Amino acid sequence: FPASDSAGPLKGDTGMTLANRFGSGAGALGALLLTVASLALPANGAGQELDLSGDWVFTVESPNGTGKRDVTFVQEGNKLTGQIMSSRADGDLSGTIDGDQLTFVAIVQMESGAFEITYNATVTGNDMTGTVDFGDYGVGTFRGHRVEKEPS
């Protein structure tokens, strides 16, 4: 570019200034920075949906102690279905994923009947952490990780 201050016309130009041509002030710079920053987002960052489909293992800290859950998710879009199993109960689940936020409800069959448990988590890659709401029986926390597929 020929030397010119931002308020003056470019040499050989028809009176158009840099400010007129490219915008001025923080708004134009902000738009440029946002465009550049969006190119540097991680692969599973905002704007790209996570796929939780597959097998997971949860370690749950509940009012009754620590327990393991085997979970299988089937994801279609942002909707999840699947199954959850433990040594005491198993059942179906359904929920949603929004960005990195997961919410699902499991209806498990106990000796005393059906029981609803709500899970809320933040997903980071192949891991998640969150809370478990057991209704009248209290709340707990959990950590989950995706089960790695063994090579065939």
Side-chain angles (χ1 to χ4, degrees):
F1 276 53
S4 172
D5 68 68
S6 65
L10 291 172
K11 185 176 180 182
D13 204 334
T14 59
M16 183 71 97
T17 65
L18 289 174
N20 290 350
R21 180 173 284 180
F22 298 108
S24 64
L29 179 60
L32 174 63
L33 291 175
L34 283 174
T35 301
V36 171
S38 70
L39 297 174
L41 286 175
N44 67 347
Q48 187 166 14
E49 191 174 301
L50 293 171
D51 184 3
L52 302 182
S53 296
D55 296 328
W56 293 72
V57 174
F58 291 0
T59 301
V60 178
E61 298 286 337
S62 75
N64 291 330
T66 302
K68 178 184 159 202
R69 310 290 187 270
D70 294 312
V71 181
T72 300
F73 290 119
V74 177
Q75 183 173 341
E76 293 182 21
N78 71 333
K79 305 284 185 207
L80 291 167
T81 57
Q83 300 235 315
I84 188 165
M85 294 146 281
S86 74
S87 62
R88 298 183 63 199
D90 62 348
D92 295 328
L93 65 87
S94 64
T96 59
I97 180 84
D98 184 10
D100 65 350
Q101 299 299 301
L102 167 66
T103 300
F104 71 89
V105 174
I107 309 293
V108 297
Q109 299 302 318
M110 308 276 299
E111 289 178 13
S112 58
F115 186 67
E116 185 175 300
I117 304 167
T118 303
Y119 289 78
N120 290 292
T122 299
V123 181
T124 306
N126 290 324
D127 297 295
M128 63 177 74
T129 58
T131 59
V132 186
D133 186 341
F134 298 98
D136 292 340
Y137 297 97
V139 296
T141 59
F142 80 98
R143 292 185 169 278
H145 68 272
R146 187 186 303 268
V147 175
E148 295 296 322
K149 294 180 183 179
E150 294 185 24
S152 22

